[in-house]
Amino acid sequence: MGPALTARRLILKFLWVVGVAALATVSVSLAWTAIGGGPLGLHGLIALSLGVLGTVAMTWILMALAFKSSREGWDDRPDDPDKP
């Protein structure tokens, strides 16, 4: 029961990230067309989508690492914490 629930949450998070990336891609594409940049071709949309997904994934991973290091005490000072 536990692993299925975890897998379901992981799939839902993945779909949420893909949805945000798709919305960002459409928004940037429409903004680019609105300022007179011309329509983006297929390769432009693919590059934009990969850039957005890469940025979201890197942000997600770096924030997870920051929270993990904070919880495990990697951010603590090695000497006396009372000294400035």
Side-chain angles (χ1 to χ4, degrees), residues 10-84:
L10 184 63
I11 290 171
L12 287 175
K13 285 183 181 182
F14 178 74
L15 289 175
W16 186 80
V17 169
V18 169
V20 168
L23 182 64
T25 301
V26 169
S27 299
V28 170
S29 178
L30 290 174
W32 177 256
T33 305
I35 63 171
L40 287 176
L42 177 63
H43 291 106
L45 289 174
I46 291 171
L48 182 62
S49 298
L50 289 175
V52 168
L53 279 174
T55 302
V56 169
M58 188 179 354
T59 303
W60 191 2
I61 290 169
L62 290 174
M63 287 303 296
L65 287 173
F67 284 121
K68 179 179 173 59
S69 71
S70 177
R71 281 188 210 122
E72 292 181 358
W74 287 93
D75 298 333
D76 295 341
R77 294 180 61 143
D79 53 38
D80 188 8
D82 294 332
K83 292 182 182 176

